[in-house]
């Protein structure tokens, strides 16, 4: 057991999976010699060689498309998309090819790939280096979408994602990379996809969230505890598969729900969470379901005032949760 | 070995992939006898080629009849492309190498080991359809058993898949060659270029096989691109670009064989362009009279590979008229059998609709 | 005023817009000489010439990407994507470029394009000629997504879409093209985007829907009327902008809501409708919000039993609405 | 006319697009004097070119200082690309033709009429930033006034935009040429090919201008593609592919002028590849020592266009030492002015965050 940053936990997870399974390869733009623009894959080229850690041409559709083929022919590719904002040229390969392969072939083929992509804002990335893209992919049957919030979860979820014989989008919030640390076991462990974790127990308001927002919600819970308001924080960890039971269970207890994400509101994944509750736990609700999310503008601005106005923060969660508790 | 095609397609029985057949080819080769280079093509194999071409044409004709009678859904034909497809399939190691077919490729998949029954099961979208269990529209081929990767409908995605298959082959050193097939229209998609470039940089054992029939549905090649040879694109990537008469199955066989050998030697990808023509509309939903003259089609039919190849085999005494007649009778029987078999086969159970979205822990 | 099919109404709308505004051009695969694979653009080449009705190369990203540039430099392109299933290679150009252009340039540039795409199933299209793609685009600020259900609406919405100086995705359900007819005024008229229409008044259950589903819902309403169950059918007509008021107003009246679409359930646009109701009209609800949608499988199968099992039909709506009314 | 760059950039005052300047160029041209073809380049213009290059370098240096002092955000440099960018900009009709710049193109946008104040306002993301009102990260240029299309960060999307601008020009017969700029890495994107092909088929008045600096962040060109000349891709599309020394602004000017003339004559697109080098890391967040040696960078700096072009102008007596010194002083003043102006300028009002998502009826 060692204390690691979020980034180190991911690197350690990759290293461990590559060491135990020769089929795991890594590729993408700048991942080999440079070790990735965020340094996540640093050292892997030296350890595993140029056959398994590959600097690819600048072409996302080819990165994912070749990963599909390589997976079919026996490898377990873990391609990296340099920023989630640049995943869209590969959208067709992910949504139409990777995610539909098993179904369309009636189970003849499977595509075990894990697409890693740094996402999210609050890091002065502006419109094209801050986006949250999870909702697009969580809508796609055949896909899994994993979004860890702690170093421990990151490593365990990554191992489970690589273990899963279907495409997984593994989203790493950039603002977490070096900002949080936590205990991470040295040995390999798997955290099952589709299992939420109650990161804090509470009784007044349920906050449903994932990724960077989890830490913010916990901070808000801390603040509000002093005011006698008790928040329950549910970290989804993966949004597809979605842990409906965990959501419904918490709603039944608190009767008040706030869904928090950084992505745009309309059609964001928060809508699905609301819909699940409206389907399965409607009569336990004591207040309208609140969605606290990024604004419905194309993406967050680069200028600090614009970025701040867009981002969901611990303060905004605190405020909204306080109001909801008083409803 | 290829004589087994005859048996397989007749019986519809399970096909067992045969490993490494190159040695066998070499042994059977009779250099010079037919003016061929040492490509491994024997009279026996050429007869098999013709058989598959004739079978494919007959099967295709039947599909159109079924469609026009209202008994079958939309047809996508390889009618006109038979030589191209049979020539390329025979040059690869069936069941060991990977092919990633195009929807235009019924002849290819027959040559690769799919049986007429299986084709018909796919056409009728029956539960037994080995391509997709009736889930996909006709001509979305795929079979793990045959090493034929499943394809969707978005054109040119298969090019990256083939490069990826080859990437794994290179890393795993499994000696396989991958070949993807695509049309002239598909070459306008960016992914074709991305895949070719990716394969070139990594020297992957892959063949990009372009079936240039001069049209993308109604759009003629001169509206699709300026340079009418798709193979000209190869030079920009440091890859050999080879043009071949797609009506000559032997020439297609030779260039494909050369490309496969090159790939197996670790020298990287090849782009092959076979000039061909589609004699029928794009699909049974299309009406090609809107966009091309009957004269043009008639003119092209003079080079119908089915006729010209038969003539050549007869002339070279590889095939006799009697054999040809016998073959035709066999083919009719095979096509009838396939039609009847598939017609009577069960539809997919709607209860299976939710199956195979995920595997592993999430299944 | 003449009776026209859905398809004829769209063709007439295109013709009229092209005749009144020389900046309107049409292009895409097979749209000129062939008049489109569905014949929607038939006759336009002859009438407006090869400069304004263009057969393009087979490359969706280029089709949309060049439309963006052409729009900036003075045209009003109406590109066609042959089937909505093939829109994904252009996803990046639509979502990241067209939809963000005004915002990222601080209003310096605008991209008035209307992307027409046939979508939807029930026509033996199988996995790749039946898809519903609206949810992906309705999540994108800057986009409008229009989905007409009648010939009248189609023509009026098309004119409004072409009038709108931002990208609009105009989705035409293939099963409607030749199956429905209706009165269509000869003169030009605009139907404002973002205005739902109550296609039938009712008191027991609100069905919120769009496109092909509207006719099915009306049929269900007819059936259930005989049983004394009164359905209100709200046709959204555009899902972005979304007519929240119309939704909330109807929910307040009936207290029971069923959201119907053909697209996959999880993360489908129905989730957003549920979420809006859970936010704005929760306490008017007398029953959980029902989502009747396509199943969570990659897409509908080609084989008739599989297609039928996937598709939402008038019968399925009738059944679910009956059950909801009895709740 | 280009002398106005000097005034504009000094004063920061509004730039008024000048229509059709070709005639003027032709009048001022002194054929043969500098061994140039009849390209329209005058000593005066060459001096202006040098001024913009020197200005850009100085401004860039300042950006790095601000970043390293923690006073400014991420820098994307044109450092090393000055000749390439100034040469191409000067060959087009400023404010009338369209450019679609790359993030690497600060020199280009300065040459195109953006003032140092405007660049600094953009860098500091202030409300007055004419590119995006502080919404975009540095180097996402755009200005309707200047006919410079706004760009995002996803590389190679701008190529299709340029083809589209040119499609409108062809249909509207507005006489404009559009030029997009992109890197060697970007050429691996499928959209580069799609756009080139689309433009070629439709004979559009567009220039695809590749700035080949041999790296895409850390990835060297030989891992990006096999053929090291991006211009080689043109042949596949029936388009001229021209390679030019990107360190020589006059040569770049000439080939760009020729391509623009060709476009205006209705002969279609040209792909230009300027070989250049970036002397600094990819951005201020990058550390290029990981992927290229200091020796390599030093070697390349021997061809620093800022130095070689100054030497040439001095030798040809187009520029005097005194003028050069005066220019440097002016530039310092301009850069100080821009920095101070932008530093003091207001941040965007957060209340404006919801503005400009839609226009028209939906605004
Ligand atoms: C990305 C994409 N866009 C559009 C289509 C619709 N479509 C199906 S086939 C076809 C033409 C393909 O032409 P080509 O590649 O030349 O193949 P051919 O049919 O001539 O063999 C088109 C446009 C598609 N399948 N995929
Ligand atoms: C589609 C996409 N993928 C990845 C990136 C991240 N990225 C930014 S610049 C760059 C390298 C570009 O190299 P090149 O085109 O050669 O331009 P240069 O920086 O060398 O001028 C990469 C990979 C991006 N902007 N867009
Ligand atoms: Mg074709
Ligand atoms: Mg570069």
């Amino acid at each position: 057991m060692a204390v690691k940053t979020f980034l180190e936990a991911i690197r350690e997870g990759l290293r461990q999976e590559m060491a135990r399974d020769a089929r795991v390869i890594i590729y993408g733009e700048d991942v080999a010699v440079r070790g990735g623009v965020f340094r996540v894959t640093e050292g892997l080229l030296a350890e595993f060689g140029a056959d398994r850690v590959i600097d690819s041409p600048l072409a996302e559709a080819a990165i994912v498309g070749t990963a599909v083929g390589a997976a079919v022919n026996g490898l377990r590719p873990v391609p990296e998309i340099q920023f989630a904002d640049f995943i869209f040229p590969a959208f067709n390969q992910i949504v139409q090819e990777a995610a539909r392969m098993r179904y369309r072939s009636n189970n003849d083929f499977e595509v075990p790939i894990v697409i890693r992509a740094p996402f999210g804002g609050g890091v002065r990335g502006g419109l094209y280096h801050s986006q949250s893209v999870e909702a697009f992919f969580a809508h796609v049957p055949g896909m899994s979408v994993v979004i860890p919030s702690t170093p421990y979860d990151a490593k365990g979820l990554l191992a489970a994602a690589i273990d899963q014989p279907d495409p997984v989008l593994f989203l790493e919030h950039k603002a977490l990379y070096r900002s949080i640390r936590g205990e991470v076991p040295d040995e390999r462990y798997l955290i099952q996809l589709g299992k939420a974790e109650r990161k804090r127990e509470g009784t007044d308001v349920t906050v449903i969230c994932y990724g960077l927002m989890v830490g913010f919600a916990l901070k808000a819970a801390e603040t509000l505890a002093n005011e006698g308001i008790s928040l329950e924080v549910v970290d989804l960890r993966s949004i597809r598969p979605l842990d409906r039971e965990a959501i419904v269970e918490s709603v039944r207890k608190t009767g008040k729900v706030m869904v928090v994400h950084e992505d745009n509101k309309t059609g964001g994944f928060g809508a699905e969470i609301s819909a699940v509750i409206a389907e399965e736990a409607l009569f336990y609700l004591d207040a309208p379901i609140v969605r606290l999310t990024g604004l419905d503008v194309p993406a967050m601005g680069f200028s600090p005032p614009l970025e701040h106005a867009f981002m969901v923060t611990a303060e905004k969660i605190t405020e909204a949760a306080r109001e909801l508790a008083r409803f | 070995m290829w004589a087994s095609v005859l048996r397989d397609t007749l019986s519809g029985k399970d096909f067992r992939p045969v490993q490494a057949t190159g040695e066998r080819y070499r042994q059977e080769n009779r250099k010079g006898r037919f003016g061929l280079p040492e490509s491994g093509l024997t009279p026996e194999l050429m007869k098999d080629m013709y058989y598959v071409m004739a079978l494919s044409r007959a099967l295709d004709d039947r599909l159109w009849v079924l469609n026009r009678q209202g008994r079958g859904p939309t047809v996508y034909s390889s009618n006109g492309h038979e030589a191209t497809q049979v020539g390329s399939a025979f040059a690869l190691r069936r069941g060991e190498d990977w092919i990633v077919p195009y929807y235009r490729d019924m002849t290819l998949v027959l040559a690769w080991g799919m049986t007429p029954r299986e084709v018909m099961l796919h056409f009728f979208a029956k539960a037994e359809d080995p391509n997709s269990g009736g889930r996909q529209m006709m001509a979305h081929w795929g079979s793990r058993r045959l090493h034929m990767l499943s394809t969707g409908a978005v054109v040119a995605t298969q090019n990256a898949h083939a490069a990826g298959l080859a990437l794994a082959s290179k890393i795993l050193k499994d000696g396989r060659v991958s070949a993807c097939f695509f049309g002239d229209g598909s070459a306008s998609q960016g992914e074709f270029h991305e895949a070719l470039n990716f394969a070139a940089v990594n020297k992957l054992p892959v063949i990009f096989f372009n079936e240039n029939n001069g049209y993308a549905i109604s759009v003629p090649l001169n509206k699709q691109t300026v340079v009418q040879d798709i193979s000209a694109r190869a030079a920009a990537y440091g890859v050999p670009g080879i043009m071949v008469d797609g009506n000559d199955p032997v020439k297609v066989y030779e260039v494909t064989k050369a490309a496969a050998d090159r790939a197996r030697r670790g020298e990287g990808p090849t782009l092959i362009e076979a000039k061909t023509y589609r004699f029928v509309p794009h699909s049974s939903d299309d009406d090609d009279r809107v966009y091309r003259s009957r004269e043009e089609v008639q003119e092209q039919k003079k080079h119908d590979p089915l006729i010209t190849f038969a003539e050549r085999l007869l002339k070279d005494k590889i095939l006799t008229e009697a054999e040809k007649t016998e073959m035709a009778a066999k083919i009719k029987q095979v096509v009838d059998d396939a039609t009847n078999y598939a017609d009577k086969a069960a539809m997919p159970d709607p209860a299976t609709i939710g199956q195979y979205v995920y595997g592993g822990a999430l299944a």
Side-chain angles (χ1 to χ4, degrees), chain A residues 92, chain B residues 76-77 81 85 102-105 140 152-158 182-189 210-219 221 224 276 278 281-283:
Chain A
N92 186 66
Chain B
Y76 290 90
S77 278
H81 289 230
Q85 294 174 17
Y102 200 40
Y103 60 83
R104 184 69 63 219
D105 291 346
H140 292 67
V154 188
V155 300
T157 53
Q158 71 271 28
F182 59 105
D184 45 303
S186 317
S188 294
Q189 289 283 344
N210 186 257
E211 303 180 53
N212 184 350
N213 62 10
Y215 288 90
I217 309 185
S218 73
V219 180
L221 194 57
Q224 191 73 242
T276 182
R278 125 172 97 69
H282 169 69
S283 76

Side-chain angles (χ1 to χ4, degrees), chain B residues 231-253:
Chain B
S231 48
R233 313 255 175 111
Y237 305 96
V239 165
I242 295 168
M243 212 168 5
V244 63
D245 175 2
N247 287 328
D248 184 338
V250 175
K251 286 212 181 102
V252 173
Y253 172 92

Side-chain angles (χ1 to χ4, degrees), chain B residues 33 65-67 69 73-74 81 89 109 119 122 142 158 177 189 219 224 240 251 256 265 273 289 306 325 342-343 363:
Chain B
R33 185 167 159 194
V65 168
L66 291 166
N67 173 278
Q69 290 174 338
T74 310
H81 289 230
V109 306
V119 167
H122 181 47
Q158 71 271 28
V177 169
Q189 289 283 344
V219 180
Q224 191 73 242
K251 286 212 181 102
T256 310
R265 286 193 306 268
E273 173 191 14
R289 288 169 306 184
L306 206 68
T325 310
D343 193 32

Side-chain angles (χ1 to χ4, degrees), chain B residues 17-176:
Chain B
V18 180
Q19 309 289 321
T21 51
E23 224 21 70
R24 177 82 185 280
Y25 282 154
R26 270 183 288 281
Q27 283 167 19
E28 288 189 5
N29 185 28
R30 293 151 204 221
K31 191 183 169 178
R33 185 167 159 194
F34 310 103
L36 298 177
E38 189 151 2
S39 61
L41 213 44
T42 63
E44 191 65 14
L45 285 171
M46 289 170 81
K47 218 150 57 178
D48 283 354
M49 277 178 155
Y50 174 72
Y51 172 78
V52 174
M53 289 168 64
L55 169 66
S56 179
R57 180 69 63 88
L59 200 53
D60 184 75
D61 289 345
R62 179 67 57 89
L63 297 181
W64 281 85
V65 168
L66 291 166
N67 173 278
R68 293 310 187 220
Q69 290 174 338
R71 289 175 58 205
T74 310
V75 181
Y76 290 90
S77 278
S78 57
N79 193 318
H81 289 230
E82 289 89 351
T84 283
Q85 294 174 17
V86 92
S88 47
F90 272 59
L92 299 169
R93 296 183 185 171
R94 188 168 62 141
E96 177 58 20
D97 289 338
W98 281 99
I99 61 166
V100 195
Y102 200 40
Y103 60 83
R104 184 69 63 219
D105 291 346
M106 190 171 83
T107 312
L108 177 74
V109 306
L110 286 168
W112 200 248
M114 189 164 290
T115 69
R117 281 189 179 184
E118 290 175 324
V119 167
M120 275 292 180
L121 287 163
H122 181 47
F123 177 65
F124 283 122
K126 296 301 177 82
E128 263 189 85
D129 158 29
N131 297 283
S132 73
R135 289 175 170 195
Q136 290 217 74
M137 194 182 239
M138 188 211 160
H140 292 67
W141 316 106
S143 162
R144 165 160 287 279
R145 175 177 57 101
L146 297 175
H147 278 199
M148 177 196 297
L149 183 53
S150 162
T151 61
V154 188
V155 300
T157 53
Q158 71 271 28
N159 295 46
H161 299 170
L165 290 161
L167 177 66
S169 289
K170 185 188 163 200
I171 293 173
L172 300 172
K173 300 185 179 48
D174 63 14
R176 291 173 188 152

Side-chain angles (χ1 to χ4, degrees), chain A residues 60-260:
Chain A
E60 283 76 8
I63 291 172
V64 176
T66 56
V68 168
V72 165
N73 202 13
L75 296 180
R76 297 240 156 192
V78 184
E80 174 181 293
I81 299 292
Q82 196 161 80
F83 285 82
D85 315 61
F86 306 142
I87 203 168
F88 300 108
F91 199 76
N92 186 66
Q93 280 288 355
I94 300 171
V95 166
Q96 295 267 67
E97 303 297 320
R100 302 196 201 285
M101 183 66 82
R102 182 187 295 279
Y103 195 77
R104 81 181 182 206
S105 70
N106 206 28
N107 214 30
D108 230 20
F109 293 103
E110 59 185 26
V111 179
I113 62 175
V114 177
I115 302 167
R116 291 182 42 253
F119 84 111
V123 294
R124 294 298 308 277
L127 267 66
Y128 291 98
H129 295 78
S130 302
Q131 293 178 29
S132 296
V133 303
E134 66 271 20
F136 294 117
F137 298 96
H139 178 46
V140 179
M143 285 300 299
S144 295
V145 181
V146 175
I147 313 174
S149 70
T150 68
Y152 178 88
D153 286 358
K155 186 178 165 191
L157 288 166
L158 182 63
I162 292 174
D163 198 55
Q164 171 62 26
D166 299 293
V168 178
L169 178 61
F170 193 86
L171 292 169
E172 305 165 4
H173 202 294
K174 297 190 286 289
L176 291 176
Y177 272 149
R178 295 167 196 278
S179 71
I180 59 164
R181 310 179 150 270
E183 295 271 346
V184 178
D186 294 331
E187 69 277 9
R188 181 174 189 250
Y189 57 96
L190 272 66
I191 298 176
Q192 212 184 315
L193 307 188
K195 293 286 166 216
E197 187 181 55
R198 197 158 44 192
K199 286 270 166 27
R200 180 181 176 119
E201 288 216 41
T203 51
D204 295 331
V205 170
T206 297
V207 179
I208 301 174
C209 53
Y210 47 87
L212 179 67
M213 294 299 123
V214 175
F216 289 178
L218 290 171
K219 222 170 168 184
E222 210 58 62
T223 308
L224 290 173
N226 299 326
E227 304 177 19
I229 297 171
S230 164
L231 296 197
E232 172 142 315
V233 178
V234 176
D235 176 4
L236 293 176
R237 302 203 290 200
S238 71
I239 59 171
R240 186 171 194 126
L242 177 64
D243 192 341
R244 284 192 177 71
E245 290 68 39
I247 293 171
V248 168
E249 190 191 313
S250 183
V251 172
R252 287 187 178 190
K253 183 166 69 168
T254 64
K256 290 179 177 178
V257 194
M258 198 162 91
V259 183
V260 181

